[in-house]
Amino acid sequence: MHLYNAWLPPPVAEKCKDEARTFGLVVRSVRGSWLPDSPDSVYSTLKWIPIIDLYLEARSEILLEDVKALIEIGLDIFLRSHDKLFVQVRWGNILIRLLKKYKKSLTLKVPWRPLYNTLLKTHLAR
């Protein structure tokens, strides 16, 4: 349990220990609401971003496997939402926060070419 949650009353502190499991459920829900073949399903994933943000703000202890899975899903959503700038901004912001927080504890392999192509299409072709 994080130091910020240590002062909580015992019943509430017990519920905080269950946050790793519930974050895993959120990651599975994001994966379930996003369909790679449907271009408009990226909008259905936006409802999960405030919930992910709450887990980050609460400094919850979450499993690194779930964080890695969420980053991979979020990066895929970011790269496949070509003309949806709002989706890219929302997912880009949450990915930046996740990568900053877990940069030393995760090992990720991110292909640079799709990010470069997205940058060219979004900012230099308009």
Side-chain angles (χ1 to χ4, degrees):
M1 182 183 319
H2 195 273
L3 181 63
Y4 288 151
N5 297 334
W7 62 272
L8 294 171
V12 178
E14 285 297 318
K15 291 289 184 182
C16 287
K17 292 179 183 176
D18 200 31
E19 289 180 348
R21 184 187 62 80
T22 57
F23 185 76
L25 294 174
V26 169
V27 172
R28 284 189 283 287
S29 297
V30 170
R31 186 179 295 133
S33 65
W34 180 64
L35 306 169
D37 299 331
S38 174
D40 289 332
S41 72
V42 293
Y43 292 113
S44 66
T45 62
L46 291 178
K47 65 183 175 187
W48 297 106
I49 289 181
I51 296 169
I52 296 165
D53 192 36
L54 284 174
Y55 279 97
L56 293 175
E57 299 241 351
R59 298 179 187 251
S60 302
E61 291 183 7
I62 50 182
L63 298 175
L64 289 178
E65 302 90 42
D66 292 333
V67 173
K68 184 176 180 178
L70 184 65
I71 289 174
E72 289 171 352
I73 294 166
L75 188 62
D76 204 17
I77 291 170
F78 179 85
L79 293 174
R80 291 188 187 222
S81 56
H82 299 291
D83 296 330
K84 300 167 181 70
L85 192 58
F86 179 72
V87 175
Q88 285 184 339
V89 167
R90 294 294 304 266
W91 273 106
N93 284 334
I94 205 73
L95 286 171
I96 287 169
R97 289 189 59 204
L98 284 167
L99 289 170
K100 279 184 180 179
K101 185 172 182 177
Y102 295 101
K103 64 184 171 189
K104 292 184 179 178
S105 36
L106 285 177
T107 55
L108 291 171
K109 192 171 189 177
V110 179
W112 68 271
R113 180 61 82 180
L115 285 173
Y116 180 73
N117 289 338
T118 301
L119 177 71
L120 288 179
K121 284 182 185 177
T122 304
H123 298 288
L124 301 176
R126 293 182 184 205

